[in-house]
Amino acid sequence: MLFGRRKPGYTTTVDASADPEQVVLDLQKAEMAAKKKPKAEVFDINAASETARRLKETGSTFDGAAAKAGEDVIAVVERETGELAAKQAAENASAPAETPAEAAPDTDSTAKPELLDFLAAAPEAENDPYADQPTQTAPELPELTPAQELAGYIRSRSAAAQVTSHALLVTEVENADELLAQMPQDPQCEDIVARAGAKDTYYYSNANMSDNYAMIAQLIEDEDLCAMFAEMVRFNARIYPSATPLRYFRRSPYGLSPEEVEQTWKAMQGKPEFSDIEELTNNQNERFLFSTQYLTRRYAKAISDVDEWTD
């Protein structure tokens, strides 16, 4: 009995006692084996590269003639490599033997030098800007004259927001008047200014204190509160212009209490030298003093009022 599909020109007889399924499998395997073709030899690029390298090292002039003659390329390379090795061995045998010192390089001499050894052996740099420079000492400052020393004392007090009275200088410094007379002719003392007060003459440095602050400090040193009030009210009206609130004298550097402010203002009223000083109240019920020498009442009131509207 035949199993499987019959093909043209293909006939086979199967033993009836065999397993039908096994027979079919064997037939299919036979057909698949008949269809397979032998694979072409795979080109090995690594082997080819190695062969080319060896040809180059041996200096072979192999041009394919041996391959045409049926000799293997690898065999040719191996043969020529062997011949070259034999030739080099013969040359080495005829040459004189090398001494151990010539044969083995000195590893110590070829090793890299240590950094510190290299720097120690390096030649010194030329044109070193810091080499052999003479030591320079700071120039000695000229010795101060007694007048300049006194000017330094006045400057230190001005830096502390204090004017220096003539009475203090006479008490503290010997020949104070003579030294003070030398200051206008000394360029190192040109910042020392004298200001006459009601009770004394006061000195200050305009490099450390403004003229306006010196005026206030002088008024405080005079301890004449009425004159101080009048002077500051006139100053503010003339310079800014503005009226002066009474609370202004409670601030630094005056530092008066509310009672001292009220007593001073009452003492000023009725005295002819303070007749230009008047009082007004702005729209916030705050009290101000102004000088009629520089401001009218209407103008002083206008600049003292607080705007109650905004755009």
Side-chain angles (χ1 to χ4, degrees):
M1 183 181 222
L2 293 176
F3 294 92
R5 187 175 179 182
R6 180 179 293 181
K7 294 182 179 180
Y10 179 82
T11 302
T12 184
T13 302
V14 181
D15 186 2
S17 61
D19 185 4
E21 295 182 359
Q22 185 63 39
V23 173
V24 173
L25 292 175
D26 293 339
L27 292 175
Q28 292 177 349
K29 290 180 180 180
E31 292 180 0
M32 293 296 295
K35 292 179 179 180
K36 288 183 179 180
K37 295 180 180 180
K39 293 184 179 179
E41 293 184 0
V42 178
F43 176 75
D44 190 349
I45 185 65
N46 294 329
S49 300
E50 178 64 17
T51 301
R53 184 186 65 80
R54 294 176 65 180
L55 286 172
K56 183 176 181 180
E57 290 178 355
T58 57
S60 173
T61 56
F62 176 75
D63 57 359
K68 293 178 182 180
E71 189 176 1
D72 183 23
V73 175
I74 300 300
V76 174
V77 173
E78 291 178 352
R79 175 174 53 80
E80 294 188 358
T81 303
E83 294 176 356
L84 180 61
K87 181 179 180 181
Q88 291 177 350
E91 293 177 354
N92 293 336
S94 59
E98 296 180 352
T99 62
E102 295 176 350
D106 187 4
T107 56
D108 293 338
S109 62
T110 58
K112 293 184 179 179
E114 294 293 337
L115 176 60
L116 296 180
D117 297 338
F118 173 78
L119 294 178
E124 295 184 359
E126 297 180 359
N127 300 326
D128 186 357
Y130 302 103
D132 300 331
Q133 286 189 352
T135 303
Q136 296 182 356
T137 58
E140 295 184 1
L141 297 177
E143 188 175 350
L144 297 178
T145 64
Q148 292 172 353
E149 291 180 352
L150 180 59
Y153 173 68
I154 296 173
R155 290 189 192 100
S156 64
R157 289 180 56 86
S158 299
Q162 294 178 329
V163 292
T164 304
S165 65
H166 178 264
L168 177 63
L169 293 177
V170 172
T171 304
E172 298 290 337
V173 181
E174 186 179 358
N175 301 326
D177 290 334
E178 182 181 350
L179 299 179
L180 290 172
Q182 296 175 5
M183 289 185 184
Q185 288 77 33
D186 190 344
Q188 300 296 326
C189 304
E190 60 182 6
D191 61 312
I192 305 302
V193 181
R195 180 180 178 85
K199 295 183 179 180
D200 202 347
T201 300
Y202 301 92
Y203 297 89
Y204 68 97
S205 168
N206 59 14
N208 296 334
M209 179 182 290
S210 67
D211 295 336
N212 292 343
Y213 195 90
M215 177 190 66
I216 297 173
Q218 169 251 307
L219 292 172
I220 295 174
E221 289 289 332
D222 281 340
E223 296 181 352
D224 187 347
L225 297 183
C226 293
M228 182 181 69
F229 270 43
E231 188 68 23
M232 294 310 303
V233 169
R234 291 169 184 152
F235 176 82
N236 291 334
R238 181 179 75 252
I239 299 300
Y240 292 111
S242 68
T244 304
L246 282 173
R247 59 182 171 83
Y248 171 82
F249 298 101
R250 295 166 57 183
R251 299 176 178 176
S252 178
Y254 311 100
L256 300 179
S257 66
E259 293 77 13
E260 289 175 323
V261 173
E262 290 296 333
Q263 291 173 3
T264 302
W265 171 228
K266 288 181 180 180
M268 292 173 64
Q269 298 176 27
K271 293 183 178 181
E273 63 267 31
F274 306 127
S275 60
D276 63 308
I277 308 300
E278 297 184 4
E279 181 184 354
L280 64 83
T281 303
N282 72 349
N283 59 352
Q284 299 293 322
N285 202 29
E286 185 174 1
R287 298 166 64 192
F288 288 77
L289 299 179
F290 69 98
S291 171
T292 56
Q293 293 181 13
Y294 306 101
L295 299 175
T296 64
R297 173 172 290 273
R298 182 177 180 181
Y299 183 65
K301 176 72 165 57
I303 61 179
S304 300
D305 286 342
V306 179
D307 291 337
E308 296 180 346
W309 54 273
T310 56
D311 293 338

